[in-house]
Amino acid sequence: MNARTSVPGLKDKPLVSVVIPAFNEEEHLPICLASLAAQETDTNFEVIVVDNNSTDNTSGVAKKFEKQLNLRIIKELKRGRGAARFTGFKYAAGSIIFSTDADTVVPENWIEEYLKKFKKDPSLVAVTGIPQIRDFDVLKNSVFNLTVPQFLKINYLAFGHPGLSGFSFAIKESAYDEAGGFDPVTDCYEDLDLAHSVHKVGKIALVTKPPVFFSGRRFEKGLLAGYSEYVKSFIDMFLLKKKRVVLSNPRGSVKAKKK
């Protein structure tokens, strides 16, 4: 079981927690947080930014949103996506925990639409979505936005269940804890790794609406180059069972874009 850390003095326990891991994301993080501040919902939610031992002003830019959001900033000194997400979820107070990334812009109805999925189908324990990009020309954006959902569906067929995508998923706190939580050692596909355990607990739904928009910085050198790195990492981790698989650091490529 994943031990939950209580938060002394937390007022008005939120129904929803949104966890955002952030390593050197001072450029993109403000746009992500602004999209959360613009959520059209009556649901009480908190936002947890996990500063993953950044060397830039990630925490500083996050603090600027303290008046707009029910915001907590947590430090995780051990670098790695698994460690950052593990820590953020550990401190989450909501009964439903959302995950997104610091370079991601979520639509105004993101929280409400995912909550509706849980209400409509009580058997669901998690809901996961798809990304789109808008950093490049119309052709490149269109090809990416059309092909990525197909890759996610192939994953569904390969494993018999949807994966969880760190840029956009929501999970019941009880299911996350029962599944054992994120592996803090994993630095690549930590979300997909978690999905294999969550699937044993209950049903995961893959939805295409609403999509989120994330930075296309990893695909700046071309879609094929970006896809190739993901495919290689997937093979190394799930087929070759390598102990340490790490994706390259794309920060500093494509500039953050306003919503």
Side-chain angles (χ1 to χ4, degrees):
M1 296 289 285
N2 183 54
R4 178 80 39 201
T5 298
S6 61
V7 184
L10 183 68
K11 297 180 179 180
D12 301 322
K13 177 177 170 63
L15 171 65
V16 164
S17 296
V18 181
V19 175
I20 308 170
F23 168 64
N24 288 355
E25 293 285 10
E26 65 177 355
E27 183 179 10
H28 290 84
L29 183 59
I31 302 174
C32 173
L33 294 177
S35 71
L36 287 166
Q39 287 297 291
E40 296 180 348
T41 180
D42 293 325
T43 300
N44 182 26
F45 72 96
E46 67 170 349
V47 176
I48 299 174
V49 173
V50 182
D51 184 342
N52 196 200
N53 203 15
S54 299
T55 58
D56 68 356
N57 195 34
T58 289
S59 289
V61 298
K63 287 179 181 178
K64 295 180 181 179
F65 287 83
E66 288 180 329
K67 293 182 179 180
Q68 301 177 52
L69 293 165
N70 179 5
L71 177 69
R72 285 188 283 146
I73 301 169
I74 297 172
K75 291 278 190 177
E76 172 51 62
L77 299 181
K78 180 182 178 181
R79 286 183 182 169
R81 301 188 337 173
R85 292 196 200 278
F86 176 86
T87 296
F89 274 61
K90 179 180 179 181
Y91 283 92
S95 58
I96 296 179
I97 309 175
F98 281 63
S99 172
T100 192
D101 288 331
D103 68 344
T104 300
V105 176
V106 300
E108 294 174 344
N109 61 341
W110 183 59
I111 288 177
E112 276 302 305
E113 287 300 313
Y114 276 29
L115 291 180
K116 286 179 183 178
K117 302 297 182 185
F118 288 112
K119 294 175 182 177
K120 185 176 181 179
D121 185 354
S123 69
L124 287 179
V125 299
V127 178
T128 188
I130 65 169
Q132 293 185 355
I133 60 172
R134 49 188 177 187
D135 303 280
F136 306 111
D137 58 65
V138 174
L139 178 59
K140 191 172 181 179
N141 289 343
S142 298
V143 171
F144 178 92
N145 296 340
L146 287 172
T147 55
V148 165
Q150 306 311 314
F151 285 136
L152 295 177
K153 291 176 182 177
I154 290 173
N155 175 79
Y156 193 151
L157 294 174
F159 291 107
H161 62 83
L164 292 173
S165 298
F167 50 75
S168 182
F169 79 80
I171 186 170
K172 292 180 179 178
E173 174 195 26
S174 57
Y176 175 79
D177 288 345
E178 186 176 347
F182 284 107
D183 180 352
V185 177
T186 304
D187 196 29
C188 178
Y189 286 119
E190 75 291 342
D191 43 9
L192 185 54
D193 180 62
L194 174 65
H196 297 332
S197 301
V198 173
H199 170 63
K200 300 174 183 178
V201 174
K203 181 180 176 183
I204 303 172
L206 171 64
V207 298
T208 57
K209 296 180 180 179
V212 299
F213 296 91
F214 68 17
S215 169
R217 54 191 173 175
R218 192 175 292 279
F219 301 92
E220 192 172 30
K221 295 181 180 179
L223 295 181
L224 184 58
Y227 289 150
S228 296
E229 183 176 10
Y230 278 110
V231 171
K232 181 180 184 304
S233 299
F234 182 93
I235 292 173
D236 287 345
M237 183 168 179
F238 294 106
L239 299 182
L240 300 181
K241 306 294 184 180
K242 291 186 177 180
K243 293 183 178 181
R244 182 67 171 166
V245 180
V246 181
L247 285 170
S248 65
N249 182 357
R251 292 160 187 80
S253 297
V254 176
K255 298 294 184 181
K257 290 185 175 291
K258 293 184 179 179
K259 185 181 177 184

